[in-house]
Amino acid sequence: GPILSIAAVIFDLVQMGKENAEYKKVLVAKQECMNEFIELAESIEIEFERQFDVFKKEFYFDVLDEITKRRNEAISQHQANSDFEKKLLAYQEELRKLLDEVHSGPYVLARG
């Protein structure tokens, strides 16, 4: 009896020690797995940010360049239109002066 009880207790203690060692191995493996997951997630995040920066530069900078180009073209066109309008106004004024000369000059026939 008592020897068997002592043997059973020793056996239980040995089993608990083995289970404790196995539990520690599982915890270590779990922690390693979690660390690898975190490293992978961080590398994915870094790569995503890098790729998104490339996308922004390629897309948005091209779009902004195109907008700037079109804006400059519109300003140039507006300036050209404005210059043309000034020339037309100058011609109109010159024509008005000529018409005034014709109507008030010595060549006007007296009416009446």
Side-chain angles (χ1 to χ4, degrees):
I3 292 180
L4 225 69
S5 308
I6 293 174
V9 169
I10 292 174
F11 179 76
D12 287 342
L13 290 174
V14 170
Q15 282 301 102
M16 285 176 52
K18 286 181 182 179
E19 289 174 2
N20 194 20
E22 288 296 317
Y23 179 74
K24 286 180 182 179
K25 285 181 184 177
V26 169
L27 285 179
V28 168
K30 181 180 174 184
Q31 188 60 45
E32 287 174 356
C33 182
M34 191 60 126
N35 289 342
E36 287 180 25
F37 175 80
I38 290 170
E39 287 176 19
L40 180 62
E42 287 173 350
S43 68
I44 289 172
E45 182 180 9
I46 290 168
E47 182 62 20
F48 175 81
E49 288 174 356
R50 189 186 70 74
Q51 288 291 332
F52 190 69
D53 285 343
V54 168
F55 168 76
K56 286 190 301 187
K57 287 176 185 169
E58 289 176 355
F59 178 76
Y60 287 114
F61 288 163
D62 287 348
V63 169
L64 290 176
D65 288 345
E66 184 66 24
I67 290 170
T68 301
K69 177 182 166 193
R70 298 272 175 108
R71 179 180 167 272
N72 291 339
E73 288 173 357
I75 289 170
S76 295
Q77 184 65 40
H78 177 71
Q79 183 64 40
N81 290 344
S82 180
D83 291 345
F84 182 70
E85 183 180 355
K86 288 176 186 174
K87 286 179 184 177
L88 284 179
L89 289 173
Y91 290 141
Q92 181 184 21
E93 182 63 23
E94 190 176 323
L95 182 59
R96 188 187 59 72
K97 287 179 184 178
L98 287 173
L99 287 173
D100 284 348
E101 279 182 34
V102 168
H103 287 292
S104 65
Y107 307 107
V108 177
L109 298 174
R111 293 183 188 197

